[in-house]
């Protein structure tokens, strides 16, 4: 094994043969000959060793140029995305798409299919909204592309509700209990929170309670006509509002989806705190335009107050917690909505109330819901459907807000039950509708369970009664045969 001296000698010979010692010597000599010694000796030596190498100033300038070039590339990529996203069909192409889609729509069972006639299509297909130039195709493309849609209609911008009222109004009336063209949404009315009863005070049925609303900001369209910078503007404005005015118990962290870590994303999905994405109905409605730009989640420390930014609507404001204390959830919800409304101009129409992307969320925009176990009712789907319809409720799966299937499989007896109407009621009436309906469902569940216990008890008593009767019959038979046995003795 070579000694340290041998290694040093070998390295010296290597430097000498490679010319490194000569090169370093010349650089040191030049430094020695300098009358005014430089402040940075290493920098002087580096320039001597590499006269063609750039100076520190040149390197710094090159780095600045690189940053600027990368920014320009990002800007060009952004412009390309915008150009691609904003490719619009010509008038003739739009009409062809509407005509072809109308023919395919006849195989559907949606509200769009029910209310879009050929005459109405011909009347509306040339119309465009004033500001954003939205067309009928922008509004119904989801229903034309996904034939198993329940509604099949979205407003491409707020004006679409008026311009295409011939199609929107009958669908709105069917969604919201006959809300007609001459109906008007009541003024904002929170009501008295203390009047809301706990529908399951013993905690036997309700797993969790949730109240959310959809809200839109003034001055923006909806997804089909949104631009990338508009998503970012909304996100920035909401972030500023949430950082300034929230009550202490609602303050938390803002999470842009673009930078959300995967493990946290999955955790938030599992606890129903985050929207899932990837929904085919929303995709057909262009909800994922420029995704995930401008999408974000705000979450308080206790995870009982959330705000979704640029999911289906500009805002989804959510209050939720385990258990069935609707009043507490509703109070937190009111505090959050009022704090946000002080900072942001929320879009409200005199007739339709708060305006949303989907007509199902007009009016109050409120969906009050519970995750609840009703095993007896879940086993009798016809009875369950009858009861929820009777109380103005609807059933969804417990997979989250994006799951809108009203014919969910109830085998695991875990149901998401909520109010069906959002329009034509006050905010308080909307939540009260859920409370009263859930109380009624729990009473029926208790009655079914009690009836089953009676049947079970009766079934268990029958074998015992049969066992008690069997020895009695044997004794009677023996007594009847006894005289015959005694006759020979006499």
């Amino acid at each position: 094994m070579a000694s340290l001296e041998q290694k040093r000698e070998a390295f010296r010979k290597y430097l000498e043969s490679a010319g490194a010692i000569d090169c370093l010597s010349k650089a040191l000599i030049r430094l020695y000959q300098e009358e005014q010694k430089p402040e940075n000796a290493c920098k002087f030596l580096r320039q001597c060793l590499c006269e063609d190498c750039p100076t520190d100033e040149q390197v710094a300038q090159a780095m600045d140029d690189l940053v600027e070039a990368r920014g320009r590339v990002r800007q060009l990529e952004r412009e390309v995305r915008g150009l691609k996203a904003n490719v619009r069909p010509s008038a003739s192409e739009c009409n062809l798409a509407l005509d072809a889609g109308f023919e395919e729509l006849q195989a559907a069972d949606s509200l769009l299919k029910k209310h879009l006639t050929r005459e109405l299509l011909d009347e509306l297909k040339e119309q465009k909204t004033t500001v954003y130039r939205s067309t009928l195709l922008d509004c119904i493309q989801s229903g034309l592309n996904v034939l198993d849609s329940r509604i099949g209609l979205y407003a491409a911008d707020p004006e679409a509700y008026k311009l295409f009222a011939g199609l929107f109004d009958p669908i709105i009336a069917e969604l919201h209990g006959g809300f007609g063209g001459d109906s008007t949404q009541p003024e904002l009315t929170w009501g008295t929170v203390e009047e809301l009863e706990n529908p399951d005070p013993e905690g036997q049925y309700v797993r969790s309670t949730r109240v959310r609303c959809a809200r839109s900001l003034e001055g923006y369209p909806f997804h089909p006509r949104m631009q990338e910078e508009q998503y970012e503007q909304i996100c920035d404005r909401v972030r500023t509002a949430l950082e300034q005015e929230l009550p202490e118990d609602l303050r938390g962290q803002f999470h842009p989806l673009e930078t959300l870590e995967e493990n946290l994303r999955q955790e938030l999905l599992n606890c129903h705190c985050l929207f899932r994405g990837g929904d085919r109905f929303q995709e057909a409605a262009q909800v994922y335009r420029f995704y995930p730009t401008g999408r974000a989640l705000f979450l308080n420390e206790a995870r009982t107050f959330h705000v979704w930014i640029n999911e289906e609507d500009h805002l989804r404001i959510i209050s939720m917690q385990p258990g069935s204390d609707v009043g507490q959830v509703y109070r937190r919800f009111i505090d959050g909505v009022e704090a946000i409304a002080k900072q942001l101009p929320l879009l409200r129409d005199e007739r339709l109330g708060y305006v949303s992307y989907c007509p199902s969320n007009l009016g109050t925009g409120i969906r009050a819901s519970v995750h609840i176990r009703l095993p007896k009712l879940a086993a009798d789907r016809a009875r369950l459907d009858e009861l929820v319809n009777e109380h103005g409720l609807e059933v969804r799966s417990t997979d989250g807000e994006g799951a809108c299937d009203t014919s969910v499989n109830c085998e695991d007896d875990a149901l998401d039950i909520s109010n069906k109407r959002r329009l034509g009621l006050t905010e308080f009436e909307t939540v009260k509708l859920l409370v009263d309906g859930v109380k009624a469902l729990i009473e029926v569940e208790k009655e079914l369970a009690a009836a089953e216990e009676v049947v079970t008890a009766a079934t268990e008593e029958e074998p015992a009664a049969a066992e008690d009767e069997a020895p009695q019959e044997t004794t009677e038979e023996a007594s009847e045969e006894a005289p015959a046995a005694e006759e020979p003795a006499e």
Side-chain angles (χ1 to χ4, degrees):
M1 185 174 180
S3 65
L4 180 60
E5 282 298 323
Q6 290 174 327
K7 290 181 178 180
R8 287 176 177 174
E9 180 62 21
F11 184 61
R12 187 193 65 77
K13 289 181 178 180
Y14 161 73
L15 294 175
E16 185 176 5
S17 62
I21 292 178
D22 184 57
C23 186
L24 288 170
S25 298
K26 289 180 180 178
L28 290 170
I29 291 171
R30 287 185 58 181
L31 177 60
Y32 172 77
Q33 292 173 342
E34 287 289 318
E35 293 185 4
Q36 297 292 330
K37 297 294 186 285
E39 293 183 4
N40 192 330
C42 292
K43 179 180 178 182
F44 179 87
L45 291 172
R46 187 167 65 249
Q47 290 174 340
C48 292
L49 292 171
C50 182
E51 296 181 354
D52 295 332
C53 294
T55 64
D56 289 351
E57 292 76 12
Q58 291 173 323
V59 170
Q61 182 61 49
M63 293 300 295
D64 291 342
D65 292 344
L66 179 60
V67 171
E68 183 179 346
R70 286 174 173 170
R72 181 57 180 158
V73 168
R74 287 194 296 270
Q75 180 62 33
L76 291 172
E77 291 174 342
R78 183 189 184 94
E79 291 177 10
V80 169
R81 288 196 301 271
L83 290 170
K84 288 182 177 179
N86 289 312
V87 172
R88 303 283 285 168
S90 65
S92 59
E93 290 172 332
C94 185
N95 289 339
L96 285 172
L98 286 169
D99 290 336
F102 180 79
E103 296 303 322
E104 295 180 3
L105 184 65
Q106 304 315 302
D109 189 29
S110 62
L111 294 181
L112 175 65
K113 186 262 180 182
K114 180 178 180 180
H115 294 284
L116 182 63
T117 64
R118 167 56 70 176
E119 294 74 21
L120 186 58
L121 176 67
D122 292 338
E123 176 187 340
L124 299 178
K125 65 182 180 181
E126 301 288 347
Q127 303 293 322
K128 291 184 180 181
T129 60
T130 305
V131 178
Y132 299 106
R133 313 301 292 164
S134 301
T135 66
L136 179 65
L137 183 60
D138 290 323
C139 297
I140 68 173
Q141 57 189 327
S142 174
L144 298 182
N145 294 329
V146 185
L147 296 181
D148 58 336
S149 298
R150 184 171 67 97
I151 301 174
L153 177 69
Y154 292 87
D157 66 55
E159 186 189 346
Y161 281 111
K162 295 180 179 179
L163 183 64
F164 304 116
L167 179 58
F168 274 100
D169 281 355
I171 291 178
I172 289 171
E174 188 159 341
L175 286 170
H176 300 285
F179 187 91
D182 57 349
S183 302
T184 301
Q185 171 65 19
E187 292 297 320
L188 176 67
T189 306
W190 294 124
T192 304
V193 177
E194 290 72 23
E195 294 179 9
L196 294 174
E197 297 180 50
N198 186 330
D200 182 26
E202 297 177 356
Q204 294 182 348
Y205 302 94
V206 176
R207 292 178 175 177
S208 63
T209 303
R210 169 187 176 119
V211 179
R212 67 87 168 146
C213 72
R215 291 291 185 268
S216 303
L217 271 61
E218 294 179 357
Y220 294 94
F222 299 132
H223 290 289
R225 305 302 295 138
M226 283 279 283
Q227 303 303 312
E228 189 168 10
E229 60 269 18
Q230 290 175 316
Y231 284 112
E232 293 172 333
Q233 288 170 9
I234 290 175
C235 190
D236 290 342
R237 293 179 67 182
V238 173
R239 182 173 195 161
T240 300
L242 293 173
E243 290 175 348
Q244 289 182 351
E245 285 295 323
L246 286 181
E248 184 67 31
D249 64 315
L250 302 187
R251 295 176 187 174
Q253 290 187 317
F254 194 91
H255 301 280
L257 254 62
E258 290 180 284
T259 57
L260 189 63
E261 295 182 359
E262 177 58 28
N263 58 345
L264 178 58
R265 188 189 74 85
Q266 193 58 52
E267 178 186 342
L268 295 175
L269 284 173
N270 293 339
C271 65
H272 303 281
C273 295
L274 178 64
F275 45 96
R276 293 184 175 277
D279 180 89
R280 59 193 178 92
F281 300 101
Q282 292 185 336
E283 183 174 3
Q286 296 195 48
V287 169
Y288 304 126
R289 191 172 160 89
F290 299 111
Y291 196 88
T293 298
R295 276 66 169 194
L297 162 73
F298 176 84
L299 191 65
N300 74 336
E301 294 299 327
R303 296 191 176 182
T304 56
F305 179 74
H306 320 148
V307 181
W308 294 353
I309 296 92
N310 286 324
E311 189 241 4
E312 182 175 300
D313 294 285
H314 297 160
L315 291 175
R316 287 283 175 94
I317 305 170
I318 305 163
S319 173
M320 62 185 289
Q321 68 184 45
S324 57
D325 193 340
V326 179
Q328 189 175 45
V329 174
Y330 186 50
R331 166 50 61 195
R332 184 189 307 114
F333 169 78
I334 294 171
D335 292 343
V337 173
E338 289 187 335
I340 292 171
K342 290 178 182 178
Q343 295 294 311
L344 298 170
L346 302 179
L347 182 62
R348 197 177 197 280
D349 180 78
E350 290 184 2
R351 186 176 82 86
L352 297 176
Y354 289 102
V355 180
S356 58
Y357 184 36
C358 179
S360 66
N361 285 316
L362 292 168
T364 64
I366 288 179
R367 180 176 185 264
S369 63
V370 295
H371 282 187
I372 186 170
R373 291 186 67 256
L374 299 171
K376 309 306 177 188
L377 276 173
D380 186 353
R381 188 59 197 237
R383 180 79 181 278
L384 175 63
D385 288 342
E386 179 183 350
L387 287 170
V388 296
N389 289 331
E390 178 184 332
H391 292 280
L393 305 177
E394 65 180 355
V395 182
R396 296 185 180 183
S397 77
T398 56
D399 290 335
E401 182 76 8
C404 301
D405 185 3
T406 56
S407 59
V408 301
N409 189 331
C410 296
E411 290 179 355
D412 64 353
D413 65 59
L415 308 174
D416 182 323
I417 294 180
S418 66
N419 59 296
K420 188 173 184 180
R421 290 179 61 191
R422 327 256 198 265
L423 181 61
L425 304 170
T426 68
E427 286 69 16
F428 180 80
E429 289 170 342
T430 302
V431 179
K432 185 70 161 53
L433 190 72
L434 173 76
V435 172
D436 294 343
V438 170
K439 285 174 60 180
L441 291 174
I442 290 176
E443 286 303 314
V444 174
E445 179 72 15
K446 288 179 177 178
E447 292 172 4
L448 292 174
E452 184 175 290
E453 288 178 3
V454 170
V455 172
T456 302
T459 304
E460 292 174 351
E461 287 176 1
E462 288 179 2
E467 291 175 3
D468 291 342
E469 291 175 2
Q472 184 177 354
E473 292 174 0
T474 305
T475 303
E476 290 174 356
E477 290 173 1
S479 61
E480 289 173 359
E481 294 174 357
E486 293 175 357
E487 285 178 0
E490 291 179 354

